Amino acid sequence: MNITVNITVKLRRQTSRHSEPTYQIFHIEADPDRTTVLDALIKIQNEQDGSIGFRRNCRNAICGSCSMRINGQSGLACQKQIGEVMGENDTELVIEPMQNLPVIKDLIVDMTKFWDNLAKVDPYVSTASRQISKTEFLQTPEQRAKLQAAANCILCGSCYSECNTAAISDRFVGPHALAKAYRIMADNRDDRTEERIQKYNESGFVWDCTRCYNCNEVCPVEVQPLDRISQIKHEILANPDLPESTAQRHRHTMVDLVKEDGWIDESKFGVRVVGDNFRDLKGLLSIFPLGIRMVLSGKMPYPWQFQKSEGAIEARALIEAIEKAKNR
Ligand code: SF4
Ligand code: SF4
Ligand code: FES
């Protein structure tokens, strides 16, 4: 049964990259369970204001063109029914452009940075050194299955729009690029796996992710970028030939300190991670001013104030049990 209700749509509008955004209110009649957000936008454009700007193409969650923020979360406008995105207490449907990319007009963003970041992971299977026949290069079902989740990506940008690291870091390539990085790395036809692992171990790639889970939450096609990032990290950590990066040292030091004292002793942490246990003088000097400021403002306990935590023995036993289980 069709139930038509009045819906208030609050649309963020912007005439150019540097203009101030404003919100415009529209009222439409629609069945919330049968009308997608994209249908609503098209209705508004056809019947009320032909000047509103948004991207769309397939209307079927395939092309990735129609990603935008809908009631505070990025997603595909053609995939979301109005009833699905409006909670019981929501009085209006708020539609905004994706974040972390500059607006060109209304809901249309400039995706240059998104594509440039994708290019940084070299997103093509390289077969230069392989003797590949001119006929098909067959993969087993198991080899193909490893690529499945990442290969689903439709490059819509929803994950990038919600990424906390992308919001504050220019160097971070983003979840979409790292999902693609894993897709190529896991492909048995690619002949540059070692080189890729080294590259993704550098700053700007997997170790910059803060594990906020937003990308997994919003991805419309179950790529689960954070899971792909974790898979790349596992490959890096399993590679004995790679020199230990600051990010890896950060991870190892956290575990070592909890094993030693049951918690993280900040005074040792900086020295071991940034100072590489007194081997990196430049790193040590770089954290010295921060250390002084922390001591002066009472944020850094003196070394003698650190006691082993009461749960240190249990914490150590837990970590050792996990390490033992992993090495089985
Ligand atoms: S990983 Fe998902 S959310 Fe990110 S670009 Fe690909 S399809 Fe879109
Ligand atoms: S989990 Fe990492 S990559 Fe995904 S949105 Fe958060 S910071 Fe970005
Ligand atoms: S219009 Fe193609 S994914 Fe929405």
Side-chain angles (χ1 to χ4, degrees), residues 237-302:
L237 293 170
N239 189 319
D241 300 330
L242 282 181
E244 191 180 51
S245 64
T246 309
Q248 283 173 272
R249 206 158 50 241
H250 185 278
R251 193 181 174 109
H252 291 145
T253 303
M254 277 175 86
V255 176
D256 288 347
L257 287 175
V258 175
K259 252 167 103 173
E260 285 167 25
D261 299 330
W263 58 7
I264 295 164
D265 178 340
E266 301 287 346
S267 62
K268 293 178 186 167
F269 193 68
V271 172
R272 291 194 195 178
V273 177
V274 188
D276 194 6
N277 287 297
F278 296 101
R279 282 190 287 266
D280 181 350
L281 199 59
K282 208 169 144 203
L284 259 185
L285 288 174
S286 74
I287 53 167
F288 194 65
L290 175 68
I292 298 284
R293 282 206 307 278
M294 285 176 74
V295 171
L296 291 178
S297 58
K299 298 280 182 197
M300 168 83 86
Y302 295 104

Side-chain angles (χ1 to χ4, degrees), residues 64-274:
S65 310
C66 66
S67 185
M68 55 190 71
R69 291 198 100 217
I70 304 159
N71 278 5
Q73 196 174 60
S74 298
L76 299 178
C78 69
Q79 194 187 40
K80 305 276 186 195
Q81 302 291 338
I82 292 177
E84 179 194 339
V85 290
M86 284 184 79
E88 266 181 28
N89 300 323
D90 288 337
T91 53
E92 47 190 25
L93 177 66
V94 184
I95 309 179
E96 296 165 304
M98 283 196 285
Q99 305 177 120
N100 299 334
L101 293 165
V103 172
I104 297 173
K105 181 182 184 321
D106 299 339
L107 305 173
I108 302 171
V109 293
D110 180 352
M111 296 192 67
T112 307
K113 191 170 164 201
F114 180 82
W115 301 123
D116 287 351
N117 283 350
L118 181 66
K120 285 183 190 160
V121 302
D122 301 325
Y124 309 103
V125 172
S126 165
T127 55
S129 66
R130 295 257 163 92
Q131 299 299 315
I132 292 191
S133 62
K134 288 192 177 131
T135 56
E136 288 169 289
F137 187 103
L138 295 178
Q139 290 183 297
T140 64
E142 292 74 27
Q143 286 166 338
R144 181 64 183 78
K146 282 178 79 179
L147 320 178
Q148 188 56 41
N152 282 341
C153 176
I154 55 173
L155 293 168
C156 67
S158 295
C159 56
Y160 193 78
S161 168
E162 297 299 322
C163 177
N164 280 324
T165 310
I168 55 157
S169 162
D170 262 345
R171 71 179 184 190
F172 183 53
V173 293
H176 67 299
L178 292 171
K180 181 67 83 181
Y182 177 76
R183 185 254 172 270
I184 304 295
M185 216 177 91
D187 194 315
N188 65 310
R189 296 165 297 185
D190 185 69
D191 64 358
R192 290 175 50 207
T193 310
E194 285 299 310
E195 200 185 309
R196 291 181 192 282
I197 289 178
Q198 276 187 32
K199 181 170 185 162
Y200 306 152
N201 191 28
E202 291 168 6
S203 66
F205 295 88
V206 290
W207 301 109
D208 285 28
C209 160
T210 58
R211 300 181 60 81
C212 70
Y213 274 88
N214 282 354
C215 51
N216 277 13
E217 179 92 2
V218 299
C219 178
V221 286
E222 306 284 320
V223 171
Q224 296 185 308
L226 175 58
D227 295 16
R228 311 287 79 80
I229 291 170
S230 300
Q231 282 175 299
I232 299 177
K233 285 180 179 173
H234 285 147
E235 297 284 341
I236 291 171
L237 293 170
N239 189 319
D241 300 330
L242 282 181
E244 191 180 51
S245 64
T246 309
Q248 283 173 272
R249 206 158 50 241
H250 185 278
R251 193 181 174 109
H252 291 145
T253 303
M254 277 175 86
V255 176
D256 288 347
L257 287 175
V258 175
K259 252 167 103 173
E260 285 167 25
D261 299 330
W263 58 7
I264 295 164
D265 178 340
E266 301 287 346
S267 62
K268 293 178 186 167
F269 193 68
V271 172
R272 291 194 195 178
V273 177
V274 188

Side-chain angles (χ1 to χ4, degrees), residues 38 55-67 76-79 154 156:
L38 183 60
R55 287 196 179 103
R56 53 106 174 183
N57 190 356
C58 70
R59 300 178 72 172
N60 212 10
I62 295 171
C63 71
S65 310
C66 66
S67 185
L76 299 178
C78 69
Q79 194 187 40
I154 55 173
C156 67

